Amino acid sequence: MDASHPAVYPVGVPPTAVDPPPRVRMKDYEGMPSTLGGLVLRSGQFACAVTALSIMISIPDFSSVTAFCYLVAAMALQLLWSVSLAVVDGYALLLRRTLHNPVLLSLLVIGDWVTSTLSLAAACSSAGITVLIDSDLAQCAHNHCGRYEAAVAMAFLTWFLVSLSFFFSFWLLATR
Amino acid sequence: MDASHPAVYPVGVPPTAVDPPPRVRMKDYEGMPSTLGGLVLRSGQFACAVTALSIMISIPDFSSVTAFCYLVAAMALQLLWSVSLAVVDGYALLLRRTLHNPVLLSLLVIGDWVTSTLSLAAACSSAGITVLIDSDLAQCAHNHCGRYEAAVAMAFLTWFLVSLSFFFSFWLLATR
């Protein structure tokens, strides 16, 4: 045997020396996609959007103001988006799967950002008109200020819940 | 020698097996805090906010509408925030330091989110009033629709630039 080539013995290396240090992941936090909290968030968004939409279309002459028509359109888009993702979350929970692939997460982040921005824009433009009618012009006697305010409040709540979903998805995408 | 306890030989483990895989970091991307792109973004936000504010306060009776007063307040807050961070970015660039500690990044993320939300809310509420005056009531002959629209456009641009800063800071915080 050649002394310059020492014998190599196959020995087991302790696994602790090979594994990289564990990274802090938030993928199991409630509220993220494919968790029960995520499903509750989506259901809340859907419920708030449906309520805002119902209140606004129950006002006979809402369509005479562009901002109120925009609120109806934004809430309709929001409820379609939220109910679709509630179904996806429910499906993932039933099958005990996590839908955390980068393409789906990017889609969630973009979709949540767009719909939350549109919801906030609709809520704010309608709030501007409501404050103008109520405080600046004092025309509530001839208008449905109470119903306008309720619809705007539900639209703001919708935006807040969608923003939470956006934060969770964006954090998950950035830390994956 | 006991055959049930095999001899252990101290062998060198190849370093490639120990190192964790390299992580993709974005901390040097232009637009992030303490980069030249970040400074340009902050300067752009400041310029747009000052323009929106100047146009709005040049209209004699803007204070009769609550939404327009809110736009002025939001733009004033935005320009103070943006100019402060432009100074911080300039200081970091001069000293060639990166201000990427978690506390500062968290402050940036929260501040950018709050100010961008307030700017968008102000832009949308003013846009709602402008569309009401212009399209729904056709009262532009007695109002300064052109100046309202210009102020709203600059406020939307301010919001867009602050959103970019928010995305960069949030990504950096999540991947630090």
Side-chain angles (χ1 to χ4, degrees), chain A residues 10-176:
Chain A
V11 293
V13 178
T16 51
V18 178
D19 289 348
R23 285 177 56 191
V24 177
R25 286 294 301 267
M26 287 181 68
K27 68 177 177 182
D28 295 319
Y29 275 26
E30 286 298 333
M32 289 189 166
S34 21
T35 62
L36 187 63
L39 180 61
V40 170
L41 265 184
R42 295 292 174 194
S43 307
Q45 293 159 19
F46 173 73
C48 291
V50 165
T51 311
L53 186 67
S54 308
I55 295 171
M56 193 50 87
I57 59 174
S58 74
I59 303 168
D61 54 349
F62 83 91
S63 59
S64 59
V65 178
T66 307
F68 294 156
C69 297
Y70 172 49
L71 182 81
V72 168
M75 290 298 108
L77 175 70
Q78 184 61 64
L79 73 87
L80 287 176
W81 173 254
S82 294
V83 80
S84 307
L85 293 177
V87 169
V88 171
D89 277 348
Y91 173 81
L93 280 170
L94 272 178
L95 300 186
R96 297 177 187 278
R97 291 180 63 183
T98 52
L99 305 171
H100 289 175
N101 73 69
V103 176
L104 186 69
L105 277 179
S106 305
L107 188 72
L108 280 184
V109 167
I110 295 169
D112 277 336
W113 186 73
V114 169
T115 56
S116 75
T117 304
L118 291 179
S119 293
L120 178 63
C124 291
S125 53
S126 298
I129 305 288
T130 305
V131 171
L132 182 83
I133 294 171
D134 190 352
S135 304
D136 301 335
L137 303 177
Q139 292 288 317
C140 270
H142 311 293
N143 288 284
H144 309 273
C145 286
R147 281 198 264 178
Y148 292 151
E149 283 160 13
V152 166
M154 294 312 292
F156 271 116
L157 194 54
T158 307
W159 159 74
F160 179 72
L161 295 176
V162 185
S163 295
L164 285 182
S165 287
F166 164 75
F167 275 111
F168 281 125
S169 304
F170 192 34
W171 190 276
L172 195 59
L173 178 70
T175 58
R176 76 187 151 75

Side-chain angles (χ1 to χ4, degrees), chain B:
Chain B
M1 185 179 163
D2 188 353
S4 66
H5 292 86
V8 175
Y9 293 84
V11 292
V13 178
T16 50
V18 178
D19 290 346
R23 288 177 58 192
V24 177
R25 287 295 301 267
M26 287 181 67
K27 67 178 175 182
D28 296 318
Y29 276 27
E30 286 299 331
M32 289 189 164
S34 26
T35 62
L36 188 63
L39 180 62
V40 170
L41 265 183
R42 295 293 173 194
S43 307
Q45 293 159 20
F46 173 74
C48 292
V50 165
T51 311
L53 186 67
S54 307
I55 296 172
M56 193 51 88
I57 59 175
S58 74
I59 304 169
D61 53 348
F62 83 91
S63 59
S64 60
V65 178
T66 307
F68 294 156
C69 297
Y70 173 49
L71 183 81
V72 168
M75 289 299 108
L77 175 70
Q78 184 61 65
L79 73 88
L80 286 175
W81 174 255
S82 293
V83 79
S84 307
L85 293 177
V87 168
V88 171
D89 277 348
Y91 174 79
L93 279 171
L94 273 178
L95 300 186
R96 297 177 187 279
R97 292 179 63 181
T98 53
L99 305 170
H100 290 175
N101 74 70
V103 176
L104 186 70
L105 277 179
S106 305
L107 188 71
L108 280 185
V109 167
I110 295 169
D112 277 336
W113 186 73
V114 169
T115 56
S116 74
T117 303
L118 291 178
S119 294
L120 178 63
C124 292
S125 53
S126 299
I129 305 288
T130 305
V131 171
L132 182 83
I133 295 171
D134 190 353
S135 305
D136 301 335
L137 303 177
Q139 292 288 316
C140 270
H142 311 294
N143 288 283
H144 308 273
C145 287
R147 281 199 264 179
Y148 292 151
E149 283 159 14
V152 166
M154 293 314 292
F156 272 114
L157 195 55
T158 306
W159 160 74
F160 179 72
L161 295 176
V162 186
S163 295
L164 285 182
S165 287
F166 164 75
F167 276 110
F168 281 124
S169 304
F170 193 32
W171 189 277
L172 195 60
L173 179 69
T175 57
R176 76 187 151 75

